[in-house]
């Protein structure tokens, strides 16, 4: 009988209404629970609980029942007339638009980022009642919470908010009717008293309480970011747009009056000067940092390829979008590519504090698992054209595969067979976060390479290997430990070249590529190698943070990780139109992945560089073409493994592959018309629909007649249809005409 009662209770709970989002948050805070504690109890991610409390998403069974039970118990302990304890109130939790600015809001002692000595700041002023789009006018001011007692590590309080940065990581600065306002995440609006750019920097560091806690124990807190609107640029004497000459230089002239103001005030700029992304700083005094980042959207700081029309958003909306990116990824440090690279360093800082010596002093030492503080030379085969290692090479020499490591993404296509021409549709599938999935669990080199001749191949040792793989025959490959498959090799791309052609002799390959040849059942005998015995899974934390950011944002858009295939396809259909700003955030996160990997082999930029001379990026410890090659190698191999497994069990072959997109001919417009699912379960090791990195989504569908017509129109039998499968649009410019 008790089991029946429990079943009835569970049934009632599954249909009972949940408290509104704000009440859920109040109940959790009233009991002193953190988001992490609730997430751990319900076995979900922290971002999921945060979404429930923000009203962006709603819990689903079975977590919903447990969540409802918890809220019911908390409601009995903390009725609605019981206020939340004072220490749980934060300025960032409600719009802070005060009806009067006659009196400043008092604050407690603050702590500078990276400094453990409290200092008495001037108070951050909350703005007077103004009409702010999207925010209620005349809201009562939210009192500032006194900072928690400072500790040696400047840790984050149990509630998850750092009092040093209670106003968030960034602010969008705008000028309205002669008044300067700073818009923060969560609806916060601050009155800015600064009359000049140097004064704005001083205010930011002294009063604004902007910034973000470090992402790793030995790391550094993120510097505050100011985003200047066009009105703010005019207010502080900066141009609204760059001239053509300034755009090419990437900065305004050093003699500009605003730069002179900064110099007179003792502020400095980095070598890249005052451009779309600028850093204004004073040399550090001990552990105390004094640095502010500046982002200028009207100078093209926010690339429309990744940020869509974010630069045109109203200041509160732009602050919300960039603030969410900062909370899920990190405070932007420049383009998405720059931020992707900086995230690697933030998660694996090059140094840490040593254990105290006999006198009790700590010193800076190498942080194990990081790339260190000093750059290392790449192997000659890993060096791109123009690198100083190749300075003695004859001019215009074209290096062969036996001289240069060429691990790049797929760009392969073939003509349709007669049988495929009888099908009705061409369906493209795309791997989610393919390069992030390729980085997950990948062992990469951390130190300098060691040259070895006639090495025995070790799949666990990262490096570059000179080996002949022309003997690998794709017509007979091993698809499982004791299972071999007969395939039509003419319908498959080779896994060893970006163009899919079969290698004709020795070539340089990264470890994942050579390991795949062994996996397919073939022996390998490298002639030489550059191996890295100091190695580790450097990119794991980077992958996990970007994965979580991506999944949380897609969940906010209604695409969850546990959806069955048909429901997943329905959820993905038109997801970008549900919330354009969240869709922009998805694009920015994905660009952070690709751009970060690309930055590992950044090429020379700007005029004045000559082949054989070093360029600025070579001075970074994160200039690591070998790591980039390993990630791309593993990503391409992951794609080929799925293609082979699918062909072995279905007899279906792709007609085109472009990076992380594969196109198949079938009799239907949906991926489910050719993907294998048995009893709701996908083919082991094959393609699987889903939102997680490494799984696939529907990229696009066109007719077979469209594909054949495009190739005839442009007289290009090898035209890669995967490039156009999304919307079917092909132009002459796409084909070099």
């Amino acid at each position: 009988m008790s089991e029946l009662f429990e079943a009835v209770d569970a049934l009632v709970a599954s249909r009972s209404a949940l408290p509104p989002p704000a009440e859920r948050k109040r109940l959790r805070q009233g009991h002193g629970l953190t988001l992490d504690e609730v997430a751990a109890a319900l076995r979900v991610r922290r971002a999921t609980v945060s979404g429930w409390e923000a009203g962006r998403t709603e819990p689903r069974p079975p977590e919903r029942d447990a969540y409802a039970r918890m809220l019911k118990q908390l409601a009995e302990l903390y009725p609605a007339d019981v206020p939340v304890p004072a220490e749980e109130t934060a300025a960032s939790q409600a719009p802070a638009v005060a009806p009067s600015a006659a009196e400043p809001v008092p604050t407690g002692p603050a702590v500078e980022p990276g400094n453990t000595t409290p200092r008495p700041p001037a108070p951050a002023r909350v703005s007077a009642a103004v009409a702010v789009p999207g925010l209620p006018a005349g809201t009562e001011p939210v009192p500032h919470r006194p900072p928690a007692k400072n500790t040696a590590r400047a840790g984050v309080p149990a509630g998850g908010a750092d009092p040093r940065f209670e106003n968030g990581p960034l602010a969008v600065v705008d000028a309205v009717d002669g008044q300067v306002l700073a818009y923060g995440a969560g609806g916060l609006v601050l009155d800015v008293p600064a009359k000049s750019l140097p004064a704005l920097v001083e205010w930011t560091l002294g009063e604004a309480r902007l910034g973000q806690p470090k992402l790793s124990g030995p790391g550094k807190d993120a510097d505050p970011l100011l985003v200047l609107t066009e009105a703010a640029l005019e207010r502080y004497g900066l141009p609204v747009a760059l001239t053509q000459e300034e755009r090419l230089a990437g900065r305004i002239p050093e003699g500009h009056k605003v730069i002179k103001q900064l110099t007179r005030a003792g502020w400095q700029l980095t070598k890249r000067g005052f451009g779309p992304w600028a850093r204004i700083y004073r040399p550090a005094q001990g552990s105390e940092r004094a640095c502010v980042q500046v982002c200028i959207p009207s100078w093209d700081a926010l690339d429309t390829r990744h940020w869509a029309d974010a630069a045109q958003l109203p200041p509160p909306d732009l602050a919300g979008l960039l603030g969410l990116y900062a909370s899920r990824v990190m405070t932007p440090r420049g383009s998405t590519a720059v931020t992707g690279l900086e995230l690697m360093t933030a998660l694996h800082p090059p140094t840490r504090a040593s254990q105290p010596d006999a006198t009790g002093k700590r010193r800076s030492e190498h942080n194990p698992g990081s790339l260190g503080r000093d750059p290392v030379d790449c192997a000659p085969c890993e060096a791109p054209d123009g690198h100083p290692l190749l300075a003695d090479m004859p001019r215009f020499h074209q290096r062969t595969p036996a001289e240069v490591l060429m691990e790049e993404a797929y760009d392969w296509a073939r003509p349709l067979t007669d049988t495929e021409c009888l099908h009705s549709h061409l369906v493209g599938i795309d791997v989610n976060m393919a390069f992030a999935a390729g980085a997950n669990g990948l062992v990469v080199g951390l130190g300098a390479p060691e040259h070895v001749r006639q090495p025995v191949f070790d799949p666990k040792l990262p490096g570059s290997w000179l080996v002949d793989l022309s003997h690998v025959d794709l017509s007979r490959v091993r698809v499982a430990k004791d299972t071999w498959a007969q395939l039509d090799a003419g319908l498959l791309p080779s896994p060893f070249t970006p163009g899919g052609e079969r290698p004709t002799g020795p070539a340089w390959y990264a470890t994942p590529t050579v390991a795949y040849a062994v996996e397919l059942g073939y022996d390998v005998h490298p002639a030489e190698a550059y191996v890295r015995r100091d190695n580790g899974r450097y990119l794991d934390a980077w992958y996990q943070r970007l994965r979580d950011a991506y999944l949380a944002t897609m969940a906010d858009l209604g695409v969850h990780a546990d959806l069955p295939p048909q429901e997943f396809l329905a959820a993905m259909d038109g997801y970008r139109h549900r919330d354009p700003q969240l869709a922009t955030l998805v694009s920015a996160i994905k660009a952070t992945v690709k751009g970060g990997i690309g930055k590992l082999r950044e090429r020379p930029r700007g005029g004045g560089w000559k082949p054989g001379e070093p360029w600025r990026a070579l001075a970074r410890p994160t200039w690591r073409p070998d790591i980039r090659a390993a990630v791309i190698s593993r990503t391409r191999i992951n794609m080929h493994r799925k293609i082979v497994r699918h062909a072995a069990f279905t007899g279906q072959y792709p007609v085109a592959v472009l990076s992380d997109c594969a196109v198949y001919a079938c009799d239907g417009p949906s991926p489910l018309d050719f993907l294998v699912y048995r009893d709701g379960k996908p083919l082991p090791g094959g393609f699987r629909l889903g939102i997680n990195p490494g799984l696939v989504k529907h990229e696009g569908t066109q007719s077979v007649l469209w594909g054949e017509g495009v190739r005839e129109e442009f007289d290009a039998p090898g035209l890669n249809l995967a490039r156009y499968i999304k919307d079917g649009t092909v132009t002459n410019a796409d084909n070099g005409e």
Side-chain angles (χ1 to χ4, degrees), residues 718-735:
L719 185 72
N720 195 326
L721 299 177
R723 182 172 280 110
Y724 318 105
I725 195 70
K726 191 165 190 172
D727 60 12
T729 302
V730 186
T731 65
N732 288 339
D734 293 326
N735 297 280

Side-chain angles (χ1 to χ4, degrees), residues 42 84 190 205 220 227 232 292 301 387 442 467 476 484 490 527 544 547 561 567 570 579 594 618 626 636 683 735:
L42 299 178
V84 174
L190 299 176
L205 294 172
K220 298 177 181 178
V227 183
V292 172
H387 191 279
L442 178 65
V467 58
R476 185 175 185 274
W484 290 75
Q544 290 161 9
R547 174 204 61 193
E567 292 183 29
D579 189 322
K594 287 188 176 181
L618 299 186
D626 57 300
R636 192 183 67 247
L683 173 70
N735 297 280

Side-chain angles (χ1 to χ4, degrees), residues 332-494:
R333 297 288 301 273
S335 67
T336 51
V338 169
T339 304
L341 194 69
E342 291 287 342
L343 181 61
M344 298 179 194
T345 303
L347 294 168
H348 282 289
T351 60
R352 67 178 183 183
S354 68
Q355 293 297 318
D357 59 18
T359 63
K361 293 184 178 180
R362 297 177 183 267
R363 291 176 173 79
S364 177
E365 66 178 14
H366 173 70
N367 183 28
S370 75
L371 297 182
R373 188 163 41 190
D374 301 318
V376 297
D377 288 334
C378 63
C381 63
E382 298 163 352
D385 291 344
H387 191 279
L389 286 175
L390 310 176
D392 295 333
M393 185 170 290
R395 193 179 181 186
F396 305 122
H397 174 73
Q398 295 292 321
R399 290 192 288 170
T400 66
E403 295 174 295
V404 60
L405 179 69
M406 286 290 293
E407 294 286 11
E408 300 294 342
Y410 265 132
D411 188 350
W412 169 86
R414 62 171 177 81
L416 275 67
T417 65
D418 292 343
T419 301
E420 289 168 340
C421 287
L422 298 177
H423 291 304
S424 58
H425 291 85
L426 295 172
V427 180
I429 52 176
D430 179 80
V431 180
N432 295 311
M433 300 272 282
F435 293 101
N440 182 29
L442 178 65
V443 178
V444 300
L446 302 177
E450 174 188 339
H451 188 212
V452 184
R453 295 194 178 277
Q454 301 298 321
V456 176
F457 177 68
D458 182 353
K460 297 181 180 179
L461 188 59
S464 301
W465 310 78
L466 180 61
V467 58
D468 188 350
L469 299 180
S470 60
H471 65 290
V472 177
D473 184 3
L474 294 181
S475 63
R476 185 175 185 274
V477 297
R478 185 166 54 198
V479 294
K481 183 176 181 180
D482 298 315
T483 304
W484 290 75
Q486 299 291 332
L487 303 175
D488 189 338
L491 302 181
L492 285 171
S494 167

Side-chain angles (χ1 to χ4, degrees), residues 402-715:
E403 295 174 295
V404 60
L405 179 69
M406 286 290 293
E407 294 286 11
E408 300 294 342
Y410 265 132
D411 188 350
W412 169 86
R414 62 171 177 81
L416 275 67
T417 65
D418 292 343
T419 301
E420 289 168 340
C421 287
L422 298 177
H423 291 304
S424 58
H425 291 85
L426 295 172
V427 180
I429 52 176
D430 179 80
V431 180
N432 295 311
M433 300 272 282
F435 293 101
N440 182 29
L442 178 65
V443 178
V444 300
L446 302 177
E450 174 188 339
H451 188 212
V452 184
R453 295 194 178 277
Q454 301 298 321
V456 176
F457 177 68
D458 182 353
K460 297 181 180 179
L461 188 59
S464 301
W465 310 78
L466 180 61
V467 58
D468 188 350
L469 299 180
S470 60
H471 65 290
V472 177
D473 184 3
L474 294 181
S475 63
R476 185 175 185 274
V477 297
R478 185 166 54 198
V479 294
K481 183 176 181 180
D482 298 315
T483 304
W484 290 75
Q486 299 291 332
L487 303 175
D488 189 338
L491 302 181
L492 285 171
S494 167
F496 308 128
T497 60
E501 64 277 2
R502 185 170 178 171
T504 58
W508 286 99
Y509 303 101
T511 296
T513 302
V514 185
Y516 185 57
V518 176
E519 178 185 326
L520 292 176
Y522 292 86
D523 295 330
V524 296
H525 302 285
E528 58 179 306
Y530 289 90
V531 298
R532 288 172 168 83
R533 303 193 189 280
D534 178 14
N535 54 66
R537 293 168 58 158
Y538 173 72
L539 295 173
D540 274 11
W542 182 81
Y543 160 78
Q544 290 161 9
R545 186 161 181 86
L546 289 166
R547 174 204 61 193
D548 290 349
Y550 175 69
L551 292 180
T553 309
M554 291 303 297
D556 291 343
L557 286 164
V559 184
H560 299 274
D562 56 350
L563 293 176
Q566 196 65 56
E567 292 183 29
F568 167 72
L569 291 174
M572 286 293 294
D573 187 19
Y575 79 90
R576 291 185 171 276
H577 302 295
R578 294 174 200 146
D579 189 322
Q581 291 183 31
L582 283 177
T584 297
L585 181 58
V586 171
S587 296
I589 293 170
K590 293 164 68 174
T592 304
V593 173
K594 287 188 176 181
I597 296 299
K599 275 282 184 179
L600 291 167
R601 198 192 68 169
E602 183 177 358
R603 304 301 299 274
R605 293 189 301 169
W609 175 81
K610 296 180 180 179
E613 296 179 347
W615 57 94
R616 184 181 302 174
L618 299 186
R620 293 195 322 248
T622 49
W623 193 83
R624 293 296 300 272
D626 57 300
I627 296 180
R628 173 188 177 273
V631 173
I632 295 176
S633 163
R634 194 163 186 243
T635 302
R636 192 183 67 247
I637 294 305
N638 285 346
M639 172 68 87
H640 195 272
R641 184 182 290 111
K642 290 179 172 62
I643 289 172
V644 165
R645 184 62 60 91
H646 186 82
F649 285 86
T650 68
Q652 298 172 323
Y653 297 82
V655 300
V657 182
L658 181 68
S659 187
D660 47 9
C661 175
V663 176
Y664 283 82
C666 63
D667 288 323
S670 168
L672 290 175
D673 290 315
F674 72 91
L675 294 183
V676 178
Y677 276 85
R678 297 174 182 172
D679 299 326
K681 296 182 180 180
L683 173 70
F687 295 109
R688 176 184 176 184
L689 289 168
I691 199 59
N692 279 295
L695 305 188
V696 300
K697 62 180 181 295
H698 184 202
E699 177 69 3
T701 296
Q702 304 296 330
S703 69
V704 168
L705 291 178
W706 164 86
E708 291 299 280
V710 165
R711 285 175 166 171
E712 289 181 7
E713 178 182 355
F714 292 100
D715 191 23

